[in-house]
């Protein structure tokens, strides 16, 4: 379990493509400082298991085909900047919201509107996830816990086929400490909706 509060902006060191998987080596001195084999680290919002810790500042993870297909992890290349967060400790403050690290789908950055103190970023939203997203609710974008500031439906589908969209407002801290600060229009991002909404829906269906 995670909170969506990014601890460190890491870097992909190597990508080894396998027949039905990939092995990534990622540099992140902070998250690696107390990591060991079997620990969980969220990489751009995807919960991955540490295989090895290397040289005290890097770790390797294995990524199966399903994760590569369902998230943006499959598109990572050497040198890519990634958001990193260690699993939450029971004694820590819950600064964001409950995040599982299980990607529900991907969206595409449609627009960026900068202002003096923040950027408003509009992201496409898959139809299957739209019902779980509400204004002022929480959503995880590339592992970042963010508040939905706007919702809408476009007159025409976006390039990825999605008509629904949502907006988030990125404060200077988010812009400087996460990969969303430099993400351009057209960038594919991982989305995880609030798990509580999915449980409520399931309970209603079973009622």
């Amino acid at each position: 379990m995670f909170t969506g509060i990014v601890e460190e902006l890491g870097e992909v060191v190597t990508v080894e493509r396998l027949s039905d998987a990939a092995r990534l080596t990622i540099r992140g001195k902070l998250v690696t400082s107390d990591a060991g084999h079997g620990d969980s680290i969220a990489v751009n919002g995807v919960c991955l298991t540490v295989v090895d810790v290397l040289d005290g500042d890097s770790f390797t993870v294995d990524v199966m085909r399903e994760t590569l297909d369902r998230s943006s992890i499959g598109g990572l290349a050497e040198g890519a900047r990634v958001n990193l967060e260690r699993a939450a400790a029971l004694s820590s403050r819950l600064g964001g919201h409950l995040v599982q690290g299980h990607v529900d789908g991907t969206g595409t950055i449609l627009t960026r509107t900068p202002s003096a103190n923040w950027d408003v970023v509009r992201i496409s939203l898959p139809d299957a996830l739209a019902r779980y997203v509400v204004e002022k609710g929480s959503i995880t974008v590339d592992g970042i816990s963010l508040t939905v500031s706007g919702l809408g439906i476009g007159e025409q589908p976006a390039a990825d086929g999605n008509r629904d969209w949502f907006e988030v407002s990125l404060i200077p801290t988010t812009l400087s400490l996460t990969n969303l600060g430099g993400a351009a229009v057209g960038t594919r991002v991982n989305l995880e909706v609030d798990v509580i909404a999915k449980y409520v829906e399931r309970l209603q269906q079973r009622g």
Side-chain angles (χ1 to χ4, degrees), residues 89-148:
L90 291 177
S91 60
S92 64
R93 292 183 176 88
L94 185 62
H97 71 286
L98 295 177
V99 176
Q100 294 182 296
H102 302 160
V103 173
D104 293 306
T106 62
T108 303
I109 296 179
L110 302 176
T111 62
R112 294 188 71 111
T113 306
S115 70
N117 297 299
W118 63 81
D119 281 9
V120 176
V121 178
R122 179 174 293 185
I123 300 171
S124 68
L125 181 62
D127 293 344
L129 301 182
R131 64 182 180 275
Y132 302 118
V133 181
V134 297
E135 192 169 353
K136 305 306 180 186
S138 295
I139 191 167
T140 309
V141 179
D142 265 2
I144 309 165
S145 174
L146 297 170
T147 300
V148 177

Side-chain angles (χ1 to χ4, degrees), residues 8-187:
E8 183 174 17
L9 191 57
E11 181 183 0
V12 177
V13 179
T14 63
V15 178
E16 181 183 357
R17 305 288 180 183
L18 307 173
S19 60
D20 60 350
R23 173 165 287 194
L24 307 181
T25 300
I26 299 171
R27 181 178 293 114
K29 187 174 183 179
L30 176 61
V31 300
T32 308
S33 62
D34 60 352
H37 175 77
D39 287 346
S40 295
I41 295 178
V43 179
N44 279 359
V46 180
C47 178
L48 298 175
T49 300
V50 174
V51 176
D52 292 305
V53 176
L54 310 172
D55 302 324
D57 70 348
S58 301
F59 62 97
T60 62
V61 291
D62 289 328
V63 188
M64 60 184 176
R65 171 58 58 192
E66 181 180 2
T67 302
L68 295 172
D69 291 341
R70 293 173 63 91
S71 74
S72 65
I73 294 293
L76 291 177
E78 294 179 7
R81 305 291 277 172
V82 289
N83 299 322
L84 302 175
E85 181 191 357
R86 291 169 290 187
L90 291 177
S91 60
S92 64
R93 292 183 176 88
L94 185 62
H97 71 286
L98 295 177
V99 176
Q100 294 182 296
H102 302 160
V103 173
D104 293 306
T106 62
T108 303
I109 296 179
L110 302 176
T111 62
R112 294 188 71 111
T113 306
S115 70
N117 297 299
W118 63 81
D119 281 9
V120 176
V121 178
R122 179 174 293 185
I123 300 171
S124 68
L125 181 62
D127 293 344
L129 301 182
R131 64 182 180 275
Y132 302 118
V133 181
V134 297
E135 192 169 353
K136 305 306 180 186
S138 295
I139 191 167
T140 309
V141 179
D142 265 2
I144 309 165
S145 174
L146 297 170
T147 300
V148 177
S149 57
L151 289 166
I153 301 176
E155 294 183 2
Q156 299 293 331
D160 58 11
N162 299 324
R163 291 188 60 195
D164 290 274
W165 55 262
F166 68 96
E167 289 181 339
V168 290
S169 298
L170 307 182
I171 61 174
T173 298
T174 305
L175 292 171
S176 63
L177 297 182
T178 74
N179 63 4
L180 284 187
V185 171
T187 299

